[in-house]
Amino acid sequence: MTLAEACCIAVVAALLPGAAAALVLPFSRATWAIAATAGGVCLAATAVLTVDVSRNGPSLGFGDWVYVDALGIVVADLVAGIGLLAIVNSLPYIEHELGHGDLNHAKARHYYALVLAFLATMFAVPLLNNLGAMWIAIEATTIVSALLVSIHRDRPGLEAAWKYLIIGSVGIAFALFGTMMTFYAAEPILGDSGDALNWTTLHSVARQLNPDVMRLAFVFVLIGYGTKAGLAPMHTWLPDAHSQAPSPVSGLLSGVLLKCAMVALLRIGVLTDLSVGGGFRDNALMTFGIMSIAVALPFIIVQGDLKRLLAYSSVENIGIIALAAGIGGPIATYAAVLHIVAHSLTKSSLFFSAGSIVHAYGTRRLHRLRGLVRTTPGIAAVFVGAIIAVSGFPPFALFVSEYGLVSGAFAVDRGAVAVAGMALVALAAAALLFQVVGTAFAEQDRKRQPGRIRSLALATAALPLLLTIWIAFAPPPAVRDLLRDAAAVMEG
Amino acid sequence: MSATNLADTINALSIGMVVVGVALVWTRWPRHAVALVATQSLLLGVVGLVVAGHTHRAHLFVGAGLVLGVKALALPALIAILIARARATEEMPSAVPRALGLAAAVLLSLVTIETFSGDPFVTPLNATRALPAAVALMLLGLQTMVTRHHVVAQITGFLAIENGMALAALTATYGMPLIIEFGVLLDLLLAVIVAFVYSRRIHEMHGDLLTKVLRELRG
C-alpha cells in the first residue's frame, strides 16, 4: 500500500464511521468529541500526505483512481484544516442553539453526522483522478450540504436549501455534459476505456484533444462548476445558502466548498488550454472573474444583513481567483493559489466570528450591531480584523495575493484588465469597510446586554486569521514551494 | 440492423425525445409533466438498448436497464406520489405566455440542432442528430425550470436536463464506465429524494406546490 492510499483510507475510516456514530448514538458532548476526533485524524492524514507530496512529488493510488498533486493537496489541507476548526467551533455554536430551542438533540446528531459526511465528499473532490468520479463527489457535496442548510427546518432555510439543491444540481448537470464531452474528445486517441476519464491520462494527451469539442466542453464545465463555485451570473443560490446555513457550515461552504468546485473547473481548464490554446480559457475565466466582482459590488454596498454581506464578498473573491487564474503567467497563477488559501482562512474566520456575534446580539441586521467594539471587544477585534483582511489590506495574505495579481498581470501584458478588476475590488473593499467598521466603532444607540461569547468560539475564529498574517509575512520555504507547485499544475 | 437503419433509429428516437421536451415546456398540468418525462426516459432507455444491442456491450445493457428502472419508473413514480399526496391539481404557472414559451422552445430546438450538426459532433454510430438533440434537451429542461414556478416543473425540468446528458453520453462515447454511470444515477436518485422531502415541507407550510412562496430571500 502506498502512503497516499494509507492516508485516504485513514480519512475515510475516520469520517464515515464517525458520521455513523454521531447519527446513531444518543446526543451528548461525546458526539462532538467523536466528530472532532474524526476531524483531527483527517488533518493528521492530510499533513502526512502534504509532506509526502512536497518531498516526492505527485502520487497515484488505488489503480489511478486517486491522484495527489500539489494543487489537490493544498485544497485537501483546506478541507481538513478548516473542517476541524468548524467542528470545534460547532461546540459553542450548537450548544447555544440547543439552549435557545433552535435545535433539538436529534437535529444536533444529524448536524454532526452531516458535517462529517460533507467533509468526506469535499475531501474526495481534489484527490480523485477520474473526472466522472470527481463529478459524483461534487454532486454529493450539494446533496449533503443542502441538508445542512435546511437543518433548522424554518421557512427561509427551506427556501435557501431548495434553491441551492435545484440550481446546484442543474449547474453541475451541465458540468457532467462538459466532462462527457472531454471523454468524447479523448476517445479517438485513448479509446473508450475508463482511463480516458482520468485527468492524468487526459493531461498526457491534452494537446491532441479535438479543440472544437474541448471548447464546447469547457463552456459547459465553466457554467456547471462555475455555478457551484459561485461565479456570477450563476451565483444566485449562494447568498441564500451561505447566509441560512449554521455559521460553522457557512464557513465551510464559503471557505472550502467553493474552492473544491473551482479546482474541478481549473483542472478541465488546463486540458482545454493545452488543446485549444489561443487564450480561450484565459479570456473565459477573466470575463467571468470580472463579472463576478462587478455583480457582487452593488449587493455589498447596500447589504443590511451581516451574513449575506459575507456571502457576496465570497462571490467577489471567487471572481478574483478566476481573474488571477485567467491572467495566467507564473506570478498571477501563484496569486490565484495564494488567494484560494488566504480567502478560505479569512472567510472561515469571518463566518465563525459572525456566528458568535449573531448569537450574542440575537440579530443579523448590521445597523443593530452598532458599538460592537465596545460591548464585545474580543470577537469584534477578530471580525473587524478579518474584514480588513478580506478587503485586501496588509498585513494579511489577501493583500499579497491581490498585489501578485496586478504585478503578474503587467508581466504578461494583461495589466489593463487587472487594473479594471482591482478598481472594482477597491470599491467593494471601501463598501465593506464603511459598512462594518463604521458600525462596529459607532456609538451604541442604546444599552444592550449581549450574550457571552465563549473562548472556544473566539479562538477558532482568531486562529485562521492569524494564519493569514503568518502566510503573508513568513511562509516557510516548503509552503511557498508547495503553492508554487500548485500554481504550476494550474498553468498546465 | 444495418448501420444506416441504426443511425436512423437513433436519430428518430433522439428527435422524439426533443419533441417530448418541447411538450414539457408547453404542458401546464403536473400529471402530464410527469408522464412526459417518464416517456422521455423510456425513449432514452430504448436508445440505450439499441446501442447496447448493436455494440454487444454488457455494461450498456446494464446502463439501459438502470435508466428504465430509475428514470422511467422509480423517479416518475416518486413525483406521482408527491402529486397525489399534495393533491396538486393546480396549474403550473408560466412566467411567459404559453404560446411564446412554445415558440421559443421550438426555435431553440431547431437552432441548436442546426448549430451542432456536422463534424466533430457526429457520433461514432453516425447518428447525426443525437448530440445536437442532447444539447437541445438540456436547454429545453432549463427553459421548463426557469419559466414554470412549480415544484413539479422544477424536478421534471431537471430530469429532462439529465436525460439530455445521458443521451449524449450514450451516443457519443457508448456511455461512461459503468461505475461512473452508477454513481451518477445514485446522486440523481438522492437529489430527487431530497427534493421530494423538501417538496413535502413546502406543501406542509403552504398547502400547494408553487415555488412563488420561495421568494423571500432577496438582495
Side-chain angles (χ1 to χ4, degrees), chain A residues 111-465:
Chain A
Y111 172 85
Y112 282 112
L114 285 168
V115 166
L116 292 181
F118 184 33
L119 289 185
T121 55
M122 283 198 292
F123 208 84
V125 175
L127 300 184
L128 282 169
N129 190 18
N130 185 302
L131 295 179
M134 186 173 80
W135 183 92
I136 294 168
I138 296 185
E139 171 68 9
T141 64
T142 310
I143 297 168
V144 178
S145 54
L147 292 171
L148 279 165
V149 169
S150 64
I151 194 113
H152 288 112
R153 296 203 172 208
D154 53 2
R155 190 172 155 151
L158 178 62
E159 175 180 344
W162 175 266
K163 282 187 199 164
Y164 176 35
L165 180 72
I166 295 293
I167 299 176
S169 299
V170 169
I172 69 164
F174 280 79
L176 184 58
F177 184 81
T179 304
M180 221 281 308
M181 282 289 112
T182 311
F183 189 39
Y184 179 52
E187 211 201 1
I189 310 154
L190 299 169
D192 61 346
S193 71
D195 278 0
L197 269 173
N198 284 347
W199 188 79
T200 44
T201 314
L202 287 163
H203 189 251
S204 64
V205 298
R207 284 177 206 282
Q208 297 161 259
L209 299 174
N210 182 315
D212 287 337
V213 178
M214 281 311 292
R215 216 174 269 134
L216 182 71
F218 188 65
V219 168
F220 275 86
V221 167
L222 182 61
I223 294 173
Y225 288 148
T227 304
K228 191 79 177 128
L231 284 174
M234 298 86 74
H235 68 288
T236 49
W237 60 274
L238 188 150
D240 298 348
H242 290 208
S243 63
Q244 292 303 320
S247 292
V249 175
S250 308
L252 284 175
L253 289 169
S254 260
V256 193
L257 180 59
L258 301 184
K259 278 69 171 193
C260 288
M262 200 68 199
V263 163
L265 171 59
L266 292 172
R267 282 211 192 268
I268 297 186
V270 168
L271 304 177
T272 310
D273 191 43
L274 289 171
S275 155
V276 180
F280 170 75
R281 170 200 66 168
D282 298 351
N283 290 333
L285 284 175
M286 286 190 289
T287 307
F288 276 87
I290 295 265
M291 196 150 46
S292 303
I293 301 169
V295 166
L297 176 62
F299 290 96
I300 292 174
I301 294 173
V302 301
Q303 196 50 251
D305 180 306
L306 183 61
K307 286 181 76 178
R308 289 182 81 81
L309 182 71
L310 301 181
Y312 278 109
S313 150
S314 291
V315 175
E316 180 213 338
N317 277 283
I318 280 292
I320 297 175
I321 294 167
L323 178 62
I327 287 169
I331 306 174
T333 313
Y334 182 86
V337 177
L338 183 62
H339 206 91
I340 286 176
V341 174
H343 179 254
S344 288
L345 293 166
T346 312
K347 198 45 71 71
S348 53
S349 171
L350 276 167
F351 271 115
F352 295 165
S353 48
S356 300
I357 290 169
V358 170
H359 271 167
Y361 289 84
T363 180
R364 298 197 333 215
R365 306 307 303 172
L366 267 169
H367 69 87
R368 296 190 58 200
L369 298 171
R370 290 164 64 86
L372 196 63
V373 168
R374 261 161 249 222
T375 39
T376 46
I379 201 76
V382 174
F383 186 70
V384 172
I387 285 286
I388 293 170
V390 86
S391 304
F393 284 94
F396 303 100
L398 287 170
F399 167 75
V400 181
S401 57
E402 288 177 13
Y403 179 77
L405 184 155
V406 176
S407 53
F410 279 104
V412 293
D413 284 337
R414 281 172 171 163
V417 68
V419 168
M422 283 300 117
L424 293 168
V425 169
L427 288 174
L432 258 179
L433 287 174
F434 176 76
Q435 288 253 44
V436 172
V437 178
T439 307
F441 285 93
E443 284 293 320
Q444 282 167 263
D445 44 3
R446 62 188 165 88
K447 277 271 180 236
R448 178 190 294 275
Q449 281 299 319
R452 192 169 67 92
I453 288 168
R454 290 169 57 179
S455 45
L456 200 56
L458 187 62
T460 44
L463 185 62
L465 186 64

